[in-house]
Amino acid sequence: VAIRANSFLNFHLASLPSKLWRRFTRSGRPHPDNYGEFHLRRIETAPYGGLLLPIAAVRKVSPPNKEFVLYSDDHDYSLRLMDAGVAIYLTDVGCINDAEESWDKPSTSARSALVSPDAPAWRLYYACRNRILIEKRYTTSPVAYRINRMSYVGILAIEAMLAYRNLNGARKALRPLLEAIADGDAQRLGWRTEYQLPGASPSSTASAH
């Protein structure tokens, strides 16, 4: 979950060669001989899954921000814990079994989940908007950030055109992303009626958090 400075939706031009190498060689898989060894590493952000906190740490910061609605509120929460002086460590000796598979997990297709017809628009919007807000904390060079953003959006636009074969289809596929970028830049959080969560309403979402 580490975020590289000036990246956009986890895309950074400097990381592209190594990502392509891992994708085609599968060298990123952990070696079986490494299992069982104890590793402990300090990290800045952490997902809720497997996050253990003493009550003293919980009392240091306000609860997770319900205005995120969905996604990245755990990253924001752990960053605020770090700002309050709480150190978070990652260990690889624990096994976490997630109840559900990630919606944007890699598939046999090389196409990004951000332009996939199988990805619901509400997932795309909240995932991108909230991730953009988190990544802005790591922006050290506005120029480098903008270059990465333009490059990645350009790649996604090409993928969308190749996938849908027409401008209207590509525009519809990219709409959640483009609206997420606009709201992320404006730091607009909260519920959007155009992207309703299945079986939820703004009031029920707020109470669930």
Side-chain angles (χ1 to χ4, degrees):
V1 296
I3 298 176
R4 180 167 184 166
N6 305 311
S7 62
F8 175 76
L9 297 181
N10 202 34
F11 175 87
H12 197 294
L13 283 172
S15 302
L16 194 56
S18 61
K19 284 188 175 183
L20 291 173
W21 175 259
R22 287 197 304 269
R23 184 175 185 86
F24 290 109
T25 64
R26 303 298 182 184
S27 60
R29 293 177 178 176
H31 195 280
D33 293 341
N34 291 332
Y35 289 128
E37 295 181 5
F38 183 81
H39 295 91
L40 194 66
R41 182 162 58 97
R42 188 166 178 173
I43 57 176
E44 293 184 348
T45 63
Y48 289 136
L51 180 62
L52 301 177
L53 294 171
I55 190 65
V58 176
R59 289 171 176 161
K60 280 181 175 285
V61 299
S62 58
N65 187 355
K66 67 181 181 182
E67 293 301 310
F68 277 90
V69 181
L70 182 71
Y71 302 128
S72 294
D73 49 314
D74 46 1
H75 287 194
D76 172 71
Y77 183 62
S78 58
L79 286 170
R80 289 190 285 114
L81 285 169
M82 184 187 68
D83 290 342
V86 177
I88 303 177
Y89 290 88
L90 171 69
T91 177
D92 61 359
V93 298
C95 179
I96 304 298
N97 293 316
D98 205 336
E100 297 179 351
E101 293 182 344
S102 177
W103 65 274
D104 62 344
K105 70 171 189 173
S107 64
T108 54
S109 173
R111 183 191 307 161
S112 170
L114 299 183
V115 294
S116 170
D118 300 324
W122 54 272
R123 287 192 184 275
L124 296 174
Y125 171 77
Y126 290 113
C128 293
R129 182 197 68 179
N130 297 347
R131 176 75 180 191
I132 289 169
L133 281 166
I134 296 296
E135 287 178 337
K136 282 187 175 296
R137 291 186 57 151
Y138 295 84
T139 301
T140 58
S141 169
V143 174
Y145 174 79
R146 188 163 293 276
I147 290 174
N148 286 324
R149 183 164 85 172
M150 292 176 61
S151 299
Y152 193 42
V153 172
I155 292 172
L156 293 176
I158 293 172
E159 287 190 13
M161 285 297 297
L162 292 175
Y164 296 93
R165 302 292 182 180
N166 63 80
L167 187 59
N168 288 335
R171 185 185 294 114
K172 182 178 179 180
L174 293 170
R175 181 181 175 184
L177 170 64
L178 297 178
E179 293 187 350
I181 292 173
D183 287 346
D185 284 345
Q187 298 187 6
R188 282 192 293 264
L189 283 173
W191 175 278
R192 278 198 58 164
T193 55
E194 303 97 312
Y195 300 105
Q196 296 187 36
L197 277 61
S201 64
S203 58
S204 64
T205 304
S207 62
H209 283 69

